[in-house]
Amino acid sequence: MELENLTQVAEFLLLGLSEDPQLQPVLFALLLATYLVTVLGNLLIILAVSSDSHLHTIMYFFLSILSLADICSTSTIVPKMLLNIQTESKTITYAGCLAQAYFFMVFLCMDNLLLTVMAYDRYVAICHPLHYTVIMNPRLCVLLVLICLLISTLDALLHTLMLLRLSFCKHLEIPHFFCDLAQILKMACSDTLVNNTILLFATIFLGFGPFSGILFSYARIFSSILRIPSTGGKYKAFSTCGTHLCVVSLFYGASIWVYLNSAVTDSPRMSAVASVMYTVVTPMLNPFIYSLRNKDMKGALRKHTLGIFSILRCFKSPVVSL
């Protein structure tokens, strides 16, 4: 097949979730509703944590950063999907595709590492409660977030720079709804051995590594909880990490399901549909999990929600002239 230099590649084609014209309005409505709920829910989490003094703790600090990362990761994908559906166009520029892949990798890796840091925070809180304020001091917490951001940025930058060395064939159709790194590599006509090797090592170190750290943290947490004599003490200790455990299960469960689905089926379209779980659905569900299972967060969100509705009622109420 004739090769093109990557500097001559003008655009890619994102085939999306379905080519059925009758499904496009339904997909647009579902994606728009999901995106709005995701952004609004995570923004409310950030607003509640920043404005409520009861939530000025390390755990909620990490939660607000996680919510920000969820907003950013969803915003790199869904708006382009909505635009393509609305304009009935499947194109994305070469630069736009690389930018989308880069930022999605940054925020996906950021989510992964933040969940690991939050698991460590829960481990220190339950297993070393007397030393918690000393170990998890504000300086260390900010440093951990910056390290997560640095690692995520360098990992995404490495993969993106390695894409620049590849040549692509003329038919640049991506059977996905966003510029997924694995799908881009499959379209390359030049040798991708180095790229796939780097991707494999990155998956091991930045995928299985943090997941192993989470499993180790929770193994120690459960061991400490079982040594608590009273049932009430066990419940109180477990309730402090139950919400995070739900989010971890959802994130890694969706990721593992996508991996198994792509390994079992040869259909790229089925893999794309499965990818909706961890790219769109999971960021939307996180605010609900944290708000429904946490009394402090639920109270703060209720207060801010009532405040927003009060402001809206003021705008809607007629102005009475004296």
Side-chain angles (χ1 to χ4, degrees), residues 47-204:
L47 177 63
V49 172
S50 60
S51 60
D52 196 319
S53 59
H54 294 92
L55 302 181
H56 289 175
T57 63
I58 299 303
M59 179 178 68
Y60 293 113
F61 167 71
F62 289 136
L63 174 59
S64 61
I65 302 298
L66 180 66
S67 295
L68 180 61
D70 283 340
I71 292 175
C72 294
S73 65
T74 308
S75 298
T76 61
I77 296 175
V78 178
K80 180 59 180 175
M81 294 173 61
L82 295 174
L83 179 62
N84 284 1
I85 294 175
Q86 184 67 23
T87 60
E88 298 182 354
S89 172
K90 300 179 180 179
T91 61
I92 182 172
T93 63
Y94 174 75
C97 189
L98 290 189
Q100 187 184 70
Y102 169 79
F103 284 109
F104 179 72
M105 285 187 286
V106 168
F107 297 119
L108 182 65
C109 185
M110 189 75 177
D111 268 1
N112 187 25
L113 296 177
L114 281 173
L115 290 175
T116 309
V117 170
M118 294 171 73
Y120 175 72
D121 172 69
R122 294 299 86 203
Y123 159 73
V124 176
I126 294 175
C127 298
H128 304 283
L130 299 179
H131 302 90
Y132 178 76
T133 55
V134 177
I135 298 175
M136 300 302 296
N137 58 79
R139 179 177 299 180
L140 176 64
C141 295
V142 173
L143 180 62
L144 288 174
V145 172
L146 292 177
I147 290 175
C148 291
L149 180 60
L150 178 62
I151 294 175
S152 303
T153 303
L154 292 178
D155 173 65
L157 183 61
L158 176 61
H159 289 300
T160 306
L161 290 177
M162 293 303 297
L163 286 176
L164 296 177
R165 56 180 290 273
L166 299 179
S167 298
F168 294 91
C169 304
K170 283 192 173 182
H171 301 288
L172 303 177
E173 295 182 347
I174 303 178
H176 218 292
F177 57 89
F178 71 100
C179 292
D180 181 55
L181 176 63
Q183 296 297 331
I184 297 176
L185 292 178
K186 289 180 181 179
M187 292 188 306
C189 293
S190 54
D191 185 23
T192 60
L193 177 61
V194 178
N195 298 72
N196 287 319
T197 303
I198 294 176
L199 180 60
L200 176 62
F201 279 102
T203 303
I204 293 174

